[in-house]
PDB file of all heavy atoms in Angstrom:
ATOM      1  N   ARG A   1      -1.319  -7.658  -6.958  1.00 89.00           N
ATOM      2  CA  ARG A   1      -2.364  -7.095  -7.588  1.00 89.00           C
ATOM      3  C   ARG A   1      -3.210  -6.195  -6.730  1.00 89.00           C
ATOM      4  O   ARG A   1      -3.684  -5.075  -7.038  1.00 89.00           O
ATOM      5  CB  ARG A   1      -3.341  -8.211  -8.184  1.00 89.00           C
ATOM      6  CG  ARG A   1      -2.640  -9.037  -9.333  1.00 89.00           C
ATOM      7  CD  ARG A   1      -3.580  -9.890  -9.979  1.00 89.00           C
ATOM      8  NE  ARG A   1      -4.045 -10.997  -9.162  1.00 89.00           N
ATOM      9  CZ  ARG A   1      -3.389 -12.180  -9.078  1.00 89.00           C
ATOM     10  NH1 ARG A   1      -2.222 -12.350  -9.694  1.00 89.00           N
ATOM     11  NH2 ARG A   1      -3.856 -13.118  -8.236  1.00 89.00           N
ATOM     12  N   GLU A   2      -3.400  -6.605  -5.430  1.00 89.00           N
ATOM     13  CA  GLU A   2      -4.194  -5.883  -4.614  1.00 89.00           C
ATOM     14  C   GLU A   2      -3.557  -4.558  -4.197  1.00 89.00           C
ATOM     15  O   GLU A   2      -4.240  -3.436  -4.054  1.00 89.00           O
ATOM     16  CB  GLU A   2      -4.524  -6.681  -3.287  1.00 89.00           C
ATOM     17  CG  GLU A   2      -5.487  -5.876  -2.372  1.00 89.00           C
ATOM     18  CD  GLU A   2      -6.053  -6.897  -1.260  1.00 89.00           C
ATOM     19  OE1 GLU A   2      -5.286  -7.032  -0.311  1.00 89.00           O
ATOM     20  OE2 GLU A   2      -7.192  -7.298  -1.393  1.00 89.00           O
ATOM     21  N   SER A   3      -2.235  -4.603  -4.056  1.00 92.00           N
ATOM     22  CA  SER A   3      -1.488  -3.374  -3.638  1.00 92.00           C
ATOM     23  C   SER A   3      -1.606  -2.256  -4.544  1.00 92.00           C
ATOM     24  O   SER A   3      -1.308  -1.055  -4.153  1.00 92.00           O
ATOM     25  CB  SER A   3       0.030  -3.747  -3.379  1.00 92.00           C
ATOM     26  OG  SER A   3       0.680  -3.866  -4.637  1.00 92.00           O
ATOM     27  N   VAL A   4      -1.999  -2.411  -5.799  1.00 94.00           N
ATOM     28  CA  VAL A   4      -2.145  -1.413  -6.777  1.00 94.00           C
ATOM     29  C   VAL A   4      -3.560  -1.118  -7.222  1.00 94.00           C
ATOM     30  O   VAL A   4      -3.895  -0.347  -8.084  1.00 94.00           O
ATOM     31  CB  VAL A   4      -1.227  -1.729  -8.027  1.00 94.00           C
ATOM     32  CG1 VAL A   4      -1.905  -2.631  -8.953  1.00 94.00           C
ATOM     33  CG2 VAL A   4      -0.905  -0.404  -8.807  1.00 94.00           C
ATOM     34  N   SER A   5      -4.449  -1.878  -6.531  1.00 93.00           N
ATOM     35  CA  SER A   5      -5.902  -1.667  -6.832  1.00 93.00           C
ATOM     36  C   SER A   5      -6.265  -0.221  -6.421  1.00 93.00           C
ATOM     37  O   SER A   5      -5.758   0.318  -5.522  1.00 93.00           O
ATOM     38  CB  SER A   5      -6.745  -2.625  -6.090  1.00 93.00           C
ATOM     39  OG  SER A   5      -6.809  -2.356  -4.709  1.00 93.00           O
ATOM     40  N   TYR A   6      -7.220   0.360  -7.132  1.00 95.00           N
ATOM     41  CA  TYR A   6      -7.652   1.728  -6.732  1.00 95.00           C
ATOM     42  C   TYR A   6      -8.203   1.845  -5.426  1.00 95.00           C
ATOM     43  O   TYR A   6      -7.975   2.805  -4.681  1.00 95.00           O
ATOM     44  CB  TYR A   6      -8.586   2.199  -7.818  1.00 95.00           C
ATOM     45  CG  TYR A   6      -8.676   3.688  -8.020  1.00 95.00           C
ATOM     46  CD1 TYR A   6      -7.574   4.320  -8.623  1.00 95.00           C
ATOM     47  CD2 TYR A   6      -9.771   4.402  -7.665  1.00 95.00           C
ATOM     48  CE1 TYR A   6      -7.683   5.653  -8.731  1.00 95.00           C
ATOM     49  CE2 TYR A   6      -9.776   5.835  -7.846  1.00 95.00           C
ATOM     50  CZ  TYR A   6      -8.732   6.464  -8.455  1.00 95.00           C
ATOM     51  OH  TYR A   6      -8.752   7.801  -8.492  1.00 95.00           O
ATOM     52  N   ALA A   7      -8.870   0.800  -4.956  1.00 92.00           N
ATOM     53  CA  ALA A   7      -9.553   0.849  -3.671  1.00 92.00           C
ATOM     54  C   ALA A   7      -8.374   0.931  -2.594  1.00 92.00           C
ATOM     55  O   ALA A   7      -8.429   1.715  -1.599  1.00 92.00           O
ATOM     56  CB  ALA A   7     -10.360  -0.409  -3.404  1.00 92.00           C
ATOM     57  N   VAL A   8      -7.336   0.088  -2.806  1.00 94.00           N
ATOM     58  CA  VAL A   8      -6.225   0.050  -1.751  1.00 94.00           C
ATOM     59  C   VAL A   8      -5.374   1.349  -1.868  1.00 94.00           C
ATOM     60  O   VAL A   8      -4.978   1.881  -0.836  1.00 94.00           O
ATOM     61  CB  VAL A   8      -5.368  -1.184  -1.908  1.00 94.00           C
ATOM     62  CG1 VAL A   8      -4.034  -1.102  -1.167  1.00 94.00           C
ATOM     63  CG2 VAL A   8      -6.158  -2.460  -1.498  1.00 94.00           C
ATOM     64  N   LEU A   9      -5.114   1.806  -3.144  1.00 96.00           N
ATOM     65  CA  LEU A   9      -4.401   3.051  -3.164  1.00 96.00           C
ATOM     66  C   LEU A   9      -5.083   4.244  -2.477  1.00 96.00           C
ATOM     67  O   LEU A   9      -4.433   5.059  -1.851  1.00 96.00           O
ATOM     68  CB  LEU A   9      -4.207   3.465  -4.687  1.00 96.00           C
ATOM     69  CG  LEU A   9      -3.193   2.663  -5.443  1.00 96.00           C
ATOM     70  CD1 LEU A   9      -3.134   3.250  -6.889  1.00 96.00           C
ATOM     71  CD2 LEU A   9      -1.751   2.815  -4.795  1.00 96.00           C
ATOM     72  N   THR A  10      -6.478   4.217  -2.541  1.00 94.00           N
ATOM     73  CA  THR A  10      -7.215   5.163  -1.840  1.00 94.00           C
ATOM     74  C   THR A  10      -7.120   4.984  -0.325  1.00 94.00           C
ATOM     75  O   THR A  10      -6.916   6.017   0.457  1.00 94.00           O
ATOM     76  CB  THR A  10      -8.755   5.148  -2.325  1.00 94.00           C
ATOM     77  OG1 THR A  10      -8.714   5.327  -3.735  1.00 94.00           O
ATOM     78  CG2 THR A  10      -9.518   6.248  -1.630  1.00 94.00           C
ATOM     79  N   LEU A  11      -7.208   3.765   0.111  1.00 93.00           N
ATOM     80  CA  LEU A  11      -7.069   3.449   1.510  1.00 93.00           C
ATOM     81  C   LEU A  11      -5.715   3.886   2.093  1.00 93.00           C
ATOM     82  O   LEU A  11      -5.554   4.277   3.260  1.00 93.00           O
ATOM     83  CB  LEU A  11      -7.386   1.959   1.810  1.00 93.00           C
ATOM     84  CG  LEU A  11      -8.851   1.599   1.684  1.00 93.00           C
ATOM     85  CD1 LEU A  11      -8.958   0.052   1.699  1.00 93.00           C
ATOM     86  CD2 LEU A  11      -9.656   2.180   2.882  1.00 93.00           C
ATOM     87  N   MET A  12      -4.704   3.626   1.236  1.00 94.00           N
ATOM     88  CA  MET A  12      -3.304   3.916   1.785  1.00 94.00           C
ATOM     89  C   MET A  12      -3.141   5.473   2.095  1.00 94.00           C
ATOM     90  O   MET A  12      -2.184   5.735   2.677  1.00 94.00           O
ATOM     91  CB  MET A  12      -2.259   3.450   0.725  1.00 94.00           C
ATOM     92  CG  MET A  12      -2.034   1.948   0.822  1.00 94.00           C
ATOM     93  SD  MET A  12      -0.484   1.447   0.057  1.00 94.00           S
ATOM     94  CE  MET A  12      -0.882   1.562  -1.659  1.00 94.00           C
ATOM     95  N   GLU A  13      -3.981   6.279   1.563  1.00 91.00           N
ATOM     96  CA  GLU A  13      -3.905   7.692   1.945  1.00 91.00           C
ATOM     97  C   GLU A  13      -4.016   7.914   3.399  1.00 91.00           C
ATOM     98  O   GLU A  13      -3.646   8.877   3.995  1.00 91.00           O
ATOM     99  CB  GLU A  13      -4.955   8.499   1.130  1.00 91.00           C
ATOM    100  CG  GLU A  13      -4.652   8.616  -0.351  1.00 91.00           C
ATOM    101  CD  GLU A  13      -3.359   9.487  -0.510  1.00 91.00           C
ATOM    102  OE1 GLU A  13      -3.292  10.507  -0.017  1.00 91.00           O
ATOM    103  OE2 GLU A  13      -2.464   8.909  -1.205  1.00 91.00           O
ATOM    104  N   ARG A  14      -4.647   6.920   4.039  1.00 90.00           N
ATOM    105  CA  ARG A  14      -4.869   7.008   5.565  1.00 90.00           C
ATOM    106  C   ARG A  14      -3.605   6.677   6.316  1.00 90.00           C
ATOM    107  O   ARG A  14      -3.554   6.959   7.493  1.00 90.00           O
ATOM    108  CB  ARG A  14      -6.038   6.114   5.990  1.00 90.00           C
ATOM    109  CG  ARG A  14      -7.329   6.244   5.278  1.00 90.00           C
ATOM    110  CD  ARG A  14      -8.293   5.212   5.754  1.00 90.00           C
ATOM    111  NE  ARG A  14      -9.537   5.308   5.103  1.00 90.00           N
ATOM    112  CZ  ARG A  14     -10.544   4.458   5.352  1.00 90.00           C
ATOM    113  NH1 ARG A  14     -10.438   3.494   6.235  1.00 90.00           N
ATOM    114  NH2 ARG A  14     -11.720   4.619   4.635  1.00 90.00           N
ATOM    115  N   LEU A  15      -2.651   5.992   5.661  1.00 94.00           N
ATOM    116  CA  LEU A  15      -1.436   5.566   6.348  1.00 94.00           C
ATOM    117  C   LEU A  15      -0.456   6.596   6.454  1.00 94.00           C
ATOM    118  O   LEU A  15      -0.445   7.560   5.692  1.00 94.00           O
ATOM    119  CB  LEU A  15      -0.809   4.359   5.580  1.00 94.00           C
ATOM    120  CG  LEU A  15      -1.660   3.131   5.301  1.00 94.00           C
ATOM    121  CD1 LEU A  15      -0.863   2.119   4.527  1.00 94.00           C
ATOM    122  CD2 LEU A  15      -2.286   2.589   6.525  1.00 94.00           C
ATOM    123  N   SER A  16       0.438   6.575   7.453  1.00 94.00           N
ATOM    124  CA  SER A  16       1.519   7.470   7.538  1.00 94.00           C
ATOM    125  C   SER A  16       2.514   7.130   6.403  1.00 94.00           C
ATOM    126  O   SER A  16       2.486   6.086   5.904  1.00 94.00           O
ATOM    127  CB  SER A  16       2.268   7.312   8.877  1.00 94.00           C
ATOM    128  OG  SER A  16       2.932   6.087   8.988  1.00 94.00           O
ATOM    129  N   PRO A  17       3.473   8.085   6.077  1.00 94.00           N
ATOM    130  CA  PRO A  17       4.343   7.807   5.024  1.00 94.00           C
ATOM    131  C   PRO A  17       5.236   6.510   5.340  1.00 94.00           C
ATOM    132  O   PRO A  17       5.431   5.733   4.434  1.00 94.00           O
ATOM    133  CB  PRO A  17       5.335   9.084   4.984  1.00 94.00           C
ATOM    134  CG  PRO A  17       4.389  10.232   5.391  1.00 94.00           C
ATOM    135  CD  PRO A  17       3.449   9.601   6.447  1.00 94.00           C
ATOM    136  N   ASN A  18       5.691   6.333   6.526  1.00 96.00           N
ATOM    137  CA  ASN A  18       6.380   5.081   6.883  1.00 96.00           C
ATOM    138  C   ASN A  18       5.629   3.884   6.729  1.00 96.00           C
ATOM    139  O   ASN A  18       6.102   2.818   6.285  1.00 96.00           O
ATOM    140  CB  ASN A  18       7.006   5.268   8.264  1.00 96.00           C
ATOM    141  CG  ASN A  18       8.435   5.695   8.273  1.00 96.00           C
ATOM    142  OD1 ASN A  18       8.962   6.233   7.284  1.00 96.00           O
ATOM    143  ND2 ASN A  18       9.108   5.500   9.375  1.00 96.00           N
ATOM    144  N   GLU A  19       4.322   3.937   7.110  1.00 97.00           N
ATOM    145  CA  GLU A  19       3.469   2.791   7.070  1.00 97.00           C
ATOM    146  C   GLU A  19       3.247   2.453   5.556  1.00 97.00           C
ATOM    147  O   GLU A  19       3.258   1.251   5.182  1.00 97.00           O
ATOM    148  CB  GLU A  19       2.100   3.084   7.685  1.00 97.00           C
ATOM    149  CG  GLU A  19       2.143   3.118   9.232  1.00 97.00           C
ATOM    150  CD  GLU A  19       0.727   3.524   9.777  1.00 97.00           C
ATOM    151  OE1 GLU A  19       0.050   4.181   9.187  1.00 97.00           O
ATOM    152  OE2 GLU A  19       0.498   3.119  10.997  1.00 97.00           O
ATOM    153  N   ARG A  20       3.089   3.435   4.761  1.00 96.00           N
ATOM    154  CA  ARG A  20       2.862   3.224   3.307  1.00 96.00           C
ATOM    155  C   ARG A  20       4.089   2.602   2.694  1.00 96.00           C
ATOM    156  O   ARG A  20       3.951   1.693   1.926  1.00 96.00           O
ATOM    157  CB  ARG A  20       2.453   4.535   2.651  1.00 96.00           C
ATOM    158  CG  ARG A  20       1.983   4.430   1.242  1.00 96.00           C
ATOM    159  CD  ARG A  20       1.316   5.643   0.785  1.00 96.00           C
ATOM    160  NE  ARG A  20       0.745   5.521  -0.518  1.00 96.00           N
ATOM    161  CZ  ARG A  20      -0.211   6.193  -1.023  1.00 96.00           C
ATOM    162  NH1 ARG A  20      -0.748   7.164  -0.355  1.00 96.00           N
ATOM    163  NH2 ARG A  20      -0.611   5.973  -2.292  1.00 96.00           N
ATOM    164  N   ALA A  21       5.210   3.096   3.038  1.00 97.00           N
ATOM    165  CA  ALA A  21       6.540   2.553   2.486  1.00 97.00           C
ATOM    166  C   ALA A  21       6.736   1.037   2.835  1.00 97.00           C
ATOM    167  O   ALA A  21       7.004   0.290   2.025  1.00 97.00           O
ATOM    168  CB  ALA A  21       7.669   3.411   2.955  1.00 97.00           C
ATOM    169  N   VAL A  22       6.556   0.744   4.113  1.00 98.00           N
ATOM    170  CA  VAL A  22       6.787  -0.655   4.614  1.00 98.00           C
ATOM    171  C   VAL A  22       5.732  -1.490   3.883  1.00 98.00           C
ATOM    172  O   VAL A  22       6.073  -2.620   3.472  1.00 98.00           O
ATOM    173  CB  VAL A  22       6.564  -0.709   6.142  1.00 98.00           C
ATOM    174  CG1 VAL A  22       6.596  -2.211   6.566  1.00 98.00           C
ATOM    175  CG2 VAL A  22       7.726   0.056   6.797  1.00 98.00           C
ATOM    176  N   TYR A  23       4.484  -1.070   3.883  1.00 97.00           N
ATOM    177  CA  TYR A  23       3.347  -1.915   3.282  1.00 97.00           C
ATOM    178  C   TYR A  23       3.668  -2.254   1.799  1.00 97.00           C
ATOM    179  O   TYR A  23       3.653  -3.292   1.371  1.00 97.00           O
ATOM    180  CB  TYR A  23       2.067  -1.136   3.395  1.00 97.00           C
ATOM    181  CG  TYR A  23       0.973  -1.973   2.721  1.00 97.00           C
ATOM    182  CD1 TYR A  23       0.290  -2.942   3.461  1.00 97.00           C
ATOM    183  CD2 TYR A  23       0.481  -1.705   1.502  1.00 97.00           C
ATOM    184  CE1 TYR A  23      -0.803  -3.768   2.819  1.00 97.00           C
ATOM    185  CE2 TYR A  23      -0.537  -2.401   0.865  1.00 97.00           C
ATOM    186  CZ  TYR A  23      -1.155  -3.406   1.613  1.00 97.00           C
ATOM    187  OH  TYR A  23      -2.176  -4.095   0.965  1.00 97.00           O
ATOM    188  N   VAL A  24       4.135  -1.182   1.019  1.00 97.00           N
ATOM    189  CA  VAL A  24       4.398  -1.346  -0.356  1.00 97.00           C
ATOM    190  C   VAL A  24       5.639  -2.251  -0.580  1.00 97.00           C
ATOM    191  O   VAL A  24       5.571  -3.151  -1.445  1.00 97.00           O
ATOM    192  CB  VAL A  24       4.580  -0.016  -1.106  1.00 97.00           C
ATOM    193  CG1 VAL A  24       5.265  -0.137  -2.496  1.00 97.00           C
ATOM    194  CG2 VAL A  24       3.259   0.766  -1.148  1.00 97.00           C
ATOM    195  N   LEU A  25       6.717  -1.938   0.094  1.00 97.00           N
ATOM    196  CA  LEU A  25       7.981  -2.703  -0.092  1.00 97.00           C
ATOM    197  C   LEU A  25       7.794  -4.182   0.357  1.00 97.00           C
ATOM    198  O   LEU A  25       8.354  -5.114  -0.365  1.00 97.00           O
ATOM    199  CB  LEU A  25       9.062  -2.033   0.651  1.00 97.00           C
ATOM    200  CG  LEU A  25       9.527  -0.698   0.140  1.00 97.00           C
ATOM    201  CD1 LEU A  25      10.555  -0.055   1.134  1.00 97.00           C
ATOM    202  CD2 LEU A  25      10.074  -0.793  -1.234  1.00 97.00           C
ATOM    203  N   ARG A  26       7.015  -4.513   1.349  1.00 97.00           N
ATOM    204  CA  ARG A  26       6.845  -5.786   1.830  1.00 97.00           C
ATOM    205  C   ARG A  26       5.718  -6.572   0.994  1.00 97.00           C
ATOM    206  O   ARG A  26       5.937  -7.705   0.435  1.00 97.00           O
ATOM    207  CB  ARG A  26       6.551  -5.840   3.227  1.00 97.00           C
ATOM    208  CG  ARG A  26       6.221  -7.196   3.907  1.00 97.00           C
ATOM    209  CD  ARG A  26       7.520  -8.020   3.827  1.00 97.00           C
ATOM    210  NE  ARG A  26       7.288  -9.372   4.364  1.00 97.00           N
ATOM    211  CZ  ARG A  26       8.047 -10.374   4.129  1.00 97.00           C
ATOM    212  NH1 ARG A  26       9.218 -10.216   3.321  1.00 97.00           N
ATOM    213  NH2 ARG A  26       7.787 -11.609   4.469  1.00 97.00           N
ATOM    214  N   GLU A  27       4.517  -5.859   0.919  1.00 94.00           N
ATOM    215  CA  GLU A  27       3.390  -6.580   0.281  1.00 94.00           C
ATOM    216  C   GLU A  27       3.595  -6.783  -1.266  1.00 94.00           C
ATOM    217  O   GLU A  27       3.277  -7.821  -1.775  1.00 94.00           O
ATOM    218  CB  GLU A  27       2.059  -5.801   0.599  1.00 94.00           C
ATOM    219  CG  GLU A  27       0.865  -6.506   0.239  1.00 94.00           C
ATOM    220  CD  GLU A  27       0.445  -7.535   1.356  1.00 94.00           C
ATOM    221  OE1 GLU A  27       1.237  -7.987   2.169  1.00 94.00           O
ATOM    222  OE2 GLU A  27      -0.776  -7.936   1.248  1.00 94.00           O
ATOM    223  N   ALA A  28       4.010  -5.696  -1.863  1.00 94.00           N
ATOM    224  CA  ALA A  28       4.065  -5.698  -3.327  1.00 94.00           C
ATOM    225  C   ALA A  28       5.353  -6.278  -3.883  1.00 94.00           C
ATOM    226  O   ALA A  28       5.423  -6.781  -5.027  1.00 94.00           O
ATOM    227  CB  ALA A  28       3.750  -4.311  -3.945  1.00 94.00           C
ATOM    228  N   PHE A  29       6.552  -5.888  -3.244  1.00 96.00           N
ATOM    229  CA  PHE A  29       7.806  -6.220  -3.782  1.00 96.00           C
ATOM    230  C   PHE A  29       8.616  -7.205  -2.914  1.00 96.00           C
ATOM    231  O   PHE A  29       9.777  -7.497  -3.244  1.00 96.00           O
ATOM    232  CB  PHE A  29       8.603  -4.963  -3.989  1.00 96.00           C
ATOM    233  CG  PHE A  29       7.919  -4.152  -4.991  1.00 96.00           C
ATOM    234  CD1 PHE A  29       6.979  -3.094  -4.655  1.00 96.00           C
ATOM    235  CD2 PHE A  29       8.100  -4.287  -6.388  1.00 96.00           C
ATOM    236  CE1 PHE A  29       6.309  -2.369  -5.616  1.00 96.00           C
ATOM    237  CE2 PHE A  29       7.550  -3.521  -7.311  1.00 96.00           C
ATOM    238  CZ  PHE A  29       6.603  -2.475  -6.954  1.00 96.00           C
ATOM    239  N   ASP A  30       7.962  -7.755  -1.879  1.00 94.00           N
ATOM    240  CA  ASP A  30       8.519  -8.889  -1.108  1.00 94.00           C
ATOM    241  C   ASP A  30       9.896  -8.647  -0.510  1.00 94.00           C
ATOM    242  O   ASP A  30      10.763  -9.505  -0.419  1.00 94.00           O
ATOM    243  CB  ASP A  30       8.548 -10.109  -1.986  1.00 94.00           C
ATOM    244  CG  ASP A  30       8.534 -11.442  -1.115  1.00 94.00           C
ATOM    245  OD1 ASP A  30       8.063 -11.340   0.024  1.00 94.00           O
ATOM    246  OD2 ASP A  30       9.192 -12.348  -1.587  1.00 94.00           O
TER     247      ASP A  30
END
């Protein structure tokens, strides 16, 4: 739920593409 919150989506703009991919695949999709 948090990984798709608007606040977190906005914060993820600060991450590099690789950081964003790892975060999403691990945190949201395990």
Side-chain angles (χ1 to χ4, degrees):
R1 291 189 293 273
E2 184 168 80
S3 71
V4 79
S5 73
Y6 205 67
V8 167
L9 285 180
T10 303
L11 285 168
M12 281 200 286
E13 287 298 304
R14 304 177 185 178
L15 304 181
S16 70
N18 263 18
E19 286 174 335
R20 191 162 181 160
V22 172
Y23 180 83
V24 167
L25 291 173
R26 180 64 184 160
E27 188 81 343
F29 295 92
D30 203 29

